[in-house]
Amino acid sequence: MSLIKLSNIEFSYREVKSDSDFSLSDINLIINEGDFLSILGPNGSGKSTLIKLITGYLEPQCGEIILDGTDLKNYRQKDIAKKIAYVPQIPTSIYPFSVYEIIAMGRFPYLGISGFEKSEDIAIIDKMIELMELSHLVNKGINEISGGEAQRAFIGRALVQQPKILLLDEPNAHLDIKHQISIFNLLKKLNNKEGITIVTVMHDLNLTSLYSSRVVMLKNGKIFLDGKVNDALIPEKIKNVFEVDVEITTDVNSNLRTVLIKPELERS
Ligand code: ADP
Ligand code: MG
């Protein structure tokens, strides 16, 4: 079933655009319930912009975005937040909130008029702090911890929203390899067991190959490719989009595919 449908989206940051300005154009994309979709593309190809359009944070100049059968424009912010949670690319806050406060913010769409968390909300927040291995940091300021710890706090904030769709913008950028695997295993479990739809911007082709079912590649603000992970992650497509040679190998025992980057090394 289609959860999000983007039709004929055109977007540029400036109302009056010159030819050299970046724009997203001809974006037609259906995100189905249960997808584990990775969005790939070079720097500046429009990945973060696309994610921000889906959250309603940016509005397209043309086209429409339908979320769960209703035009995104007709939603209240709080109702979007019950369906979509978003983990930004750079996990910082302009205010010095604590790790606890950041995670607790995720319950905002569920608070009543009193504005206070109920015991049920507090139990959800406490469980998430444990799951994200942040118990020792709850009182620390979000800007006083490492990038990876902050990333886990923002992922925790998104998950306590109990969304149908989780949008993540390069979630592994700051994570050490242990936490990359634990976060992606958790995302996969949420996807498989609870049917949460995952849409994530990725740079790591191996993690993409291991965890996602579908890939969208952006190139110069357009969708270059939308397909199953094994059809999308092939040397010709990767070369076309990233201008890099790769070799794909499949492990005979596990059947897992590895993308090996083969740079042209300058030898002196
Ligand atoms: P990606 O996430 O694929 O690296 P982005 O979607 O962040 O790319 O950016 C796409 C293009 O839009 C880039 O050229 C970037 O400089 C430009 N851009 C991003 N944010 C803004 C903004 N707030 N105002 C103007 N241009 C922007
Ligand atoms: Mg980006």
Side-chain angles (χ1 to χ4, degrees), residues 177-193:
I177 45 178
K178 175 190 147 194
H179 285 105
Q180 289 191 19
I181 299 301
S182 66
I183 293 288
F184 274 84
N185 282 345
L186 173 67
L187 295 179
K188 194 76 191 166
K189 196 165 120 195
L190 292 169
N191 181 248
N192 282 340
K193 300 248 162 70

Side-chain angles (χ1 to χ4, degrees), residues 11-14 20-24 39-52 57-58 89 169-170 201 203 218 221:
F11 173 83
S12 57
Y13 281 97
R14 287 202 291 182
S20 60
D21 283 346
F22 168 82
S23 64
L24 271 180
I39 299 176
L40 305 178
N43 296 140
S45 56
K47 304 179 297 297
S48 297
T49 307
L50 178 61
I51 293 275
K52 287 177 193 163
Y57 178 76
L58 294 174
Q89 184 170 356
D169 199 343
E170 299 186 32
V201 174
H203 274 305
L218 290 182

Side-chain angles (χ1 to χ4, degrees), residues 6 11 13 22-24 27 29 38-55 58 86-87 89 167-170 199-205 208 215-223 241-242:
L6 292 91
F11 173 83
Y13 281 97
F22 168 82
S23 64
L24 271 180
I27 302 291
L29 178 66
S38 289
I39 299 176
L40 305 178
N43 296 140
S45 56
K47 304 179 297 297
S48 297
T49 307
L50 178 61
I51 293 275
K52 287 177 193 163
L53 284 164
I54 300 173
T55 62
L58 294 174
Y86 164 59
V87 181
Q89 184 170 356
L167 300 174
L168 305 114
D169 199 343
E170 299 186 32
V199 179
T200 177
V201 174
M202 295 288 271
H203 274 305
D204 187 316
L205 300 178
T208 303
V215 164
V216 162
M217 281 192 202
L218 290 182
K219 185 178 174 184
N220 301 328
K222 287 188 190 315
I223 293 181
V241 171
F242 294 99

Side-chain angles (χ1 to χ4, degrees), residues 243-247 260-267:
E243 297 167 25
V244 168
D245 289 306
V246 300
E247 189 179 306
L260 178 69
I261 298 163
K262 295 167 74 185
E264 280 174 32
L265 296 177
E266 282 182 26
R267 297 179 198 281

